[in-house]
Amino acid sequence: MKIRQQSGIALLEALLATLILAIGLLGTIGLQARAQSAIAEAGMRAEATIATEKLLGIMVNDQANLANYALGVNESPRTQLALWYAETQAAIPGAAILISVVPSADLSRTAVVVSISWVRKAGGPSNNHVVTSYIAQS
């Protein structure tokens, strides 16, 4: 009986190794894309939080005019809100901002609800950042 010599095994092993490497690289690229998306989303949420905290700080220092800070979606902001509104729109493009100011029955505190909504990319889901705070009358 003749012994046949095998040939081409090294080539087959090289092709399989290349295929496994390609699948691994595609997975890594997919993870990188998802990480970039998550970072962008976290950045928008951070901007919304910073904007809300800044507004609440302004409102605490202007308690006599709290009712003037109420704002409906797509409403033009009053004078007190104009600068803050412009800064927020610059930081979060296309943001829909809703500010609700509701004094308590005994007027000892005022509930302030700030809602900032945005869509990061066209056709994507809407993101909504809502903060409720109470400002005690001094």
Side-chain angles (χ1 to χ4, degrees):
M1 239 182 166
K2 267 187 166 178
I3 299 176
R4 285 181 30 176
Q5 188 174 1
Q6 293 182 349
S7 61
I9 292 297
L11 181 60
L12 183 60
E13 288 176 356
L15 286 173
L16 284 174
T18 304
L19 177 66
I20 292 170
L21 178 64
I23 291 171
L25 288 176
L26 285 174
T28 303
I29 290 169
L31 285 174
Q32 184 67 25
R34 290 187 76 148
Q36 284 295 107
S37 177
I39 288 171
E41 183 62 34
M44 290 291 208
R45 287 202 180 277
E47 289 294 339
T49 300
I50 291 167
T52 301
E53 293 298 322
K54 184 174 183 178
L55 175 63
L56 291 171
I58 293 169
M59 292 175 77
V60 165
N61 289 319
D62 190 18
Q63 290 186 19
N65 300 310
L66 286 179
N68 292 333
Y69 288 94
L71 180 69
V73 176
N74 297 325
E75 264 186 27
S76 295
R78 292 186 181 88
T79 306
Q80 290 94 337
L81 277 176
L83 180 61
W84 175 86
Y85 188 85
E87 289 175 353
T88 303
Q89 286 291 332
I92 307 170
I97 301 170
L98 173 67
I99 303 169
S100 172
V101 179
V102 182
S104 64
D106 63 358
L107 302 177
S108 63
R109 65 182 182 165
T110 302
V112 178
V113 179
V114 180
S115 174
I116 301 175
S117 301
W118 68 92
V119 176
R120 200 173 58 79
K121 60 182 178 180
S126 177
N127 298 290
N128 195 23
H129 184 75
V130 179
V131 174
T132 302
S133 182
Y134 295 93
I135 299 175
Q137 300 299 324
S138 55

